[in-house]
Amino acid sequence: MIELIKKLPKAELHLHIEGSLEPELMFRLAKKNNVEIPYKDIEDVRSAYNFTNLQTFLDIYYAGANVLLTKDDFYDLTWEYILRCVEDNVIHTEIFFDPQTHTERGVPFESVITGIKEALADAKAKYGITSCIIMCFLRHLSQEEAFETLEQALEYKDDIIGVGLDSSELGNPPSKFKEVFQKAKEEGFKLVAHAGEEADFSYIYEALDLLNINRIDHGVQSIKSPELMQRLKDEQMPLTVCPNSNIELKVFETYKEHNIKELLDYGLNISVNSDDPAYFKGYVNQNFINLYENLPITEDDVITLVKNSFKSAFISDELKQAYLARVELALK
Ligand code: ADE
Ligand code: ZN
């Protein structure tokens, strides 16, 4: 099984680039940029990664992002993630970034997007890895601030395929961002949103009905509504599930309690993703391996999950078919 997991080409659809900041790079950038971080060494950082819920993680994750200042920093961050893609056989990736985390600190939007974009162009040239960029609004901030961010993004419309919604879910429902998502849609962006990660399934209904999203990020709470499950199945709405993340943030107490197998067996369109791999103990292959080691996941399940990742990607039908053919080839 582990051989199969490693050899299958994959797409990753739920990856926060700031969440791929490994402690080693955090230290290097802190030193270079003269930014203070509250850790004395790498071991100290790792022991701080002990979360009890989403918010305890976000506090540490935003503090870590403070070391990112220049275009080159964003290039290095993205390039390190690309090297992990090479290792894990991820041949297409759709990367989230949180511009407000950086513009709030005075880092220009341009430095962030240009650094990411240049690394992704090099990834295509050197490894043939294709990619898209999705800009997320921080939901703990206001809709007005999201509108300002969308305005800044318009200049980079050709580089950004979609907009998303992340950060503190509880108390910040999708309905808070209805108008800005409407505007993003009119501007031609694809739409995604974190929904039903910690908050209940009403957030998933809101994301579907008020934001008109094309994919749900997480969505694991849908299992509590039979009616919603039926709808997600009928629509084959993609759910980008992040198993390690859900365990590390205590959405499920243990791996054995994770519901991905039930969601998959019901017929939902599920993919496996790493979310914030530097914080959640592993990249995409490690997520698959943990599923296999803790749940009755079969080889056919793994193949379905991988195929779903390509089917749900924001790429042309031609490229989807080409990538699905590469999956078949790897299975021969
Ligand atoms: N930002 C980074 N990772 C996140 C997650 N899992 N949920 C919400 N916001 C995030
Ligand atoms: Zn996420």
Side-chain angles (χ1 to χ4, degrees), residues 153-182:
L154 293 180
E155 204 180 313
Y156 303 96
K157 218 168 157 180
D158 293 344
D159 303 316
I160 299 174
I161 197 153
V163 305
L165 187 63
D166 66 3
S167 193
S168 317
E169 188 180 25
L170 290 168
N172 296 298
S175 52
K176 184 176 160 186
F177 296 92
K178 183 170 185 278
E179 289 79 14
V180 75
F181 267 68
Q182 176 61 35

Side-chain angles (χ1 to χ4, degrees), residues 1-10 89 285 298-303 306 327 330-331:
M1 176 65 115
I2 293 181
E3 271 315 295
L4 175 73
I5 290 168
K6 288 184 178 168
K7 81 175 180 192
L8 284 173
K10 302 160 199 84
N89 219 343
N285 280 1
T298 65
E299 293 202 348
D300 279 348
D301 290 336
V302 170
I303 295 165
V306 163
V327 174
L331 289 170

Side-chain angles (χ1 to χ4, degrees), residues 134-163:
I134 298 171
M135 171 182 91
C136 289
F137 302 124
L138 297 179
R139 68 201 306 158
H140 66 271
L141 300 180
S142 67
Q143 174 165 250
E144 200 185 339
E145 287 160 298
F147 264 114
E148 286 164 18
T149 305
L150 182 60
E151 197 60 42
Q152 287 180 291
L154 293 180
E155 204 180 313
Y156 303 96
K157 218 168 157 180
D158 293 344
D159 303 316
I160 299 174
I161 197 153
V163 305

Side-chain angles (χ1 to χ4, degrees), residues 186-250:
E186 285 162 15
E187 292 289 350
F189 291 103
K190 300 275 190 200
L191 307 176
V192 301
H194 284 53
E197 177 183 12
E198 271 191 349
D200 67 56
F201 65 82
S202 68
Y203 281 49
I204 302 173
Y205 273 115
E206 282 196 11
L208 293 170
D209 294 332
L210 303 181
L211 304 189
N212 287 304
I213 51 165
N214 304 102
R215 288 197 307 240
I216 298 168
D217 296 315
H218 295 292
V220 291
Q221 304 299 339
S222 48
I223 208 153
K224 309 237 171 75
S225 165
E227 182 202 325
L228 177 59
M229 290 286 282
Q230 187 65 48
R231 175 173 171 188
L232 295 173
K233 178 178 173 172
D234 291 346
E235 295 178 8
Q236 280 299 289
M237 173 61 63
L239 268 63
T240 63
V241 174
C242 307
N244 277 19
S245 165
N246 295 152
I247 303 309
E248 291 301 313
L249 302 186
K250 310 283 191 284

Side-chain angles (χ1 to χ4, degrees), residues 251-296:
V251 172
F252 301 94
E253 277 308 314
T254 67
Y255 241 109
K256 309 253 180 248
E257 288 159 73
H258 200 290
N259 65 12
I260 189 168
K261 174 71 175 156
E262 279 108 301
L263 299 176
L264 193 61
D265 285 351
Y266 188 82
L268 300 198
N269 177 349
I270 307 290
S271 61
V272 171
N273 305 272
S274 68
D275 206 7
D276 301 284
Y279 293 88
F280 300 151
K281 304 191 179 127
Y283 289 76
V284 75
N285 280 1
Q286 192 58 52
N287 277 267
F288 274 105
I289 291 168
N290 290 349
L291 288 181
Y292 157 65
E293 288 180 345
N294 291 284
L295 294 171

